[in-house]
Amino acid sequence: MKNPKYNKIPFIILFLIHSGLLGYSFFKSKNKMQLFILLMSNIGMAYLFEFFVLNLFRAYKYKPRILKKNYFDNILGAILSQAIFVPFTALFFTAQKIGGFGNLLGGLYFALVEVLFLKLKVYKHKWWRTVYTLILIPLYFRLSDGWNNFLNKRNPVIRFISLFFTILITEANLLFVFAVSRKIRFGLGKYHSWNEHFVLVPLYAISLSFFSTLSFLKQNNWISQLRVLVMTMCLDLVFKKLTLVKEKFHTIDYIILRLLSILLYGQYRDWVYGDFRPEEGEEVSNRKQ
């Protein structure tokens, strides 16, 4: 019988492999700012997908055996997959301009990884099937290529969504850390189950991220920052009044945390809407348009 403590090894190996791809992509890139924005957008798209497929409809289950509580361990496995393994690879493929046939090979690679994980029993299907991975991964890689082209053209819609995704994944990851450390829990009624938490917390993060994006749309100044702070505190108050959240933060800690996060989101705005240089090979085509 396989010892569960070895479940983490395949995840660690993939983490090292795909971190290497990310490091190489940034090392070779002449436009690291745009590459960062694309990475955050790729992760954001993957997070939204995971919200529906895992959090709501429970298509599969991860078993990395890194965290003691099974529910947290499952979500951590999803974070490793949707924030590292798949997005890092998509970024690498886009940065290296690997293209169509390479995207198909990427889909085959992740399908084989999935089969291996099933054999190792570090991952379990419920209603999901490997053929879905085989089909969807190349489409996701193609979407990453298209997203990068729109960033090169400074498309206002793609810039807006990119800023939203960048704020969203930061907020979602912060909330996950707070949940693991028992600082916060969302739910219905007096008892908040973790199943309820991981259904409600993305809705909270999406609401906060969307309003923050709207607030920072024109510029990053103290008025925009104040708007986000007031909105965040009002949103928290509404969730508390409806008994949808339980928190264990000291007031001063909460305020400091929110101020720091708002400053970071403002910085994200400056990066997304900054006049970064187009990708090499795209500048000429953009001038013709």
Side-chain angles (χ1 to χ4, degrees), residues 13-206:
I13 292 173
L14 282 187
F15 175 82
L16 294 174
I17 291 172
H18 293 93
S19 294
L21 295 180
L22 180 72
Y24 181 81
S25 299
F26 274 94
F27 176 74
K28 296 292 290 184
S29 175
K30 295 181 180 179
N31 192 351
K32 293 177 174 56
M33 187 57 66
Q34 181 170 326
L35 207 63
F36 171 77
I37 296 167
L38 177 62
L39 174 64
M40 300 296 269
S41 300
N42 284 346
I43 296 173
M45 288 185 279
Y47 267 30
L48 283 185
F49 174 82
E50 199 78 332
F51 169 60
F52 290 101
V53 175
L54 178 66
N55 293 32
L56 289 182
F57 301 117
R58 305 182 189 180
Y60 36 69
K61 184 176 182 179
Y62 295 94
K63 301 178 181 179
R65 304 293 187 190
I66 297 173
L67 299 177
K68 292 182 179 180
K69 194 169 186 63
N70 288 338
Y71 216 109
F72 291 152
D73 199 55
N74 181 30
I75 297 298
L76 178 61
I79 291 174
L80 289 172
S81 175
Q82 304 302 332
I84 296 178
F85 304 156
V86 178
F88 284 18
T89 307
L91 186 79
F92 174 79
F93 276 35
T94 297
Q96 302 307 312
K97 298 179 172 61
I98 289 179
F101 183 68
N103 291 343
L104 293 176
L105 291 179
L108 179 61
Y109 162 74
F110 276 105
L112 292 174
V113 167
E114 188 169 300
V115 171
L116 177 61
F117 272 37
L118 290 168
K119 293 289 185 183
L120 294 174
K121 297 183 179 180
V122 299
Y123 171 79
K124 181 182 178 181
H125 280 166
K126 293 187 178 179
W127 57 263
W128 189 261
R129 295 295 179 266
T130 302
V131 67
Y132 303 158
T133 301
L134 187 62
I135 294 171
L136 291 176
I137 289 293
L139 294 178
Y140 174 71
F141 288 168
R142 183 68 188 91
L143 181 59
S144 174
D145 295 339
W147 202 278
N148 191 53
N149 290 335
F150 279 117
L151 285 175
N152 280 320
K153 297 173 184 178
R154 297 174 173 80
N155 181 279
V157 175
I158 294 301
R159 278 184 161 186
F160 178 89
I161 301 174
S162 295
L163 178 58
F164 166 74
F165 279 147
T166 305
I167 296 173
L168 175 63
I169 62 175
T170 304
E171 193 69 32
N173 288 340
L174 280 173
L175 290 170
F176 177 72
V177 171
F178 297 150
V180 172
S181 59
R182 303 296 201 277
K183 292 291 186 181
I184 194 169
R185 183 187 289 202
F186 289 79
L188 302 171
K190 292 183 179 180
Y191 176 74
H192 294 177
S193 71
W194 287 116
N195 181 47
E196 292 173 345
H197 172 88
F198 286 108
V199 170
L200 287 176
V201 74
L203 300 178
Y204 173 89
I206 288 170

